[in-house]
Amino acid sequence: MKDALAAGRRVSPKVKFFIQFGSADVERYARGKGYLDVFAKTGVTIIPPGCGACIGCGPGVSETSEQVTVSAINRNFKGRSGPGKLWLASPLTVAASAVEGRIVAYSPGMFRQAVGV
């Protein structure tokens, strides 16, 4: 997301991008590193640590069978994260896909390229 911010890019308007920290310690670490500021400036929604999409509740769970979720969670049971299609990916792929609005692999410098190319 830091690369996207440097290139003037944000989360695609057709995407909801949630980050949920695994613990309060991880959240404090991210805050100390300035990551939360980057996330806020690029359109990422932060969810406090706790149970959520990986147990089928809260933000990040698909609502319809047509929705596609790209997630770095460790759960891929049918219906676990809602009725939609769930793709497990690395955090870099999740972030790149959120910015591009389609499933893509991250590559350094990709956000500096012309949009739609």
Side-chain angles (χ1 to χ4, degrees):
M1 295 312 294
K2 197 172 186 180
D3 287 355
L5 181 61
R9 303 281 305 276
R10 295 177 45 86
V11 172
S12 168
K14 60 184 178 177
V15 171
K16 294 178 185 175
F17 185 10
F18 301 101
I19 291 179
Q20 183 173 33
F21 297 106
S23 69
D25 286 342
V26 173
E27 184 175 9
R28 279 190 291 278
Y29 174 83
R31 186 179 311 283
K33 289 288 196 175
Y35 300 155
L36 275 71
D37 186 49
V38 172
F39 297 152
K41 289 178 180 176
T42 55
V44 177
T45 300
I46 300 299
I47 304 170
C51 294
C54 64
I55 62 163
C57 66
V61 174
S62 61
E63 298 169 1
T64 69
S65 60
E66 294 80 34
Q67 285 180 303
V68 175
T69 300
V70 181
S71 179
I73 64 172
N74 61 354
R75 300 286 188 265
N76 195 22
F77 308 118
K78 185 173 177 68
R80 185 75 181 248
S81 292
K85 297 165 187 71
L86 175 64
W87 299 95
L88 298 184
S90 72
L92 287 172
T93 295
V94 171
S97 299
V99 173
E100 293 296 316
R102 60 190 174 88
I103 300 174
V104 297
Y106 172 78
S107 62
M110 69 182 284
F111 300 125
R112 290 187 298 258
Q113 299 171 6
V115 176
V117 175

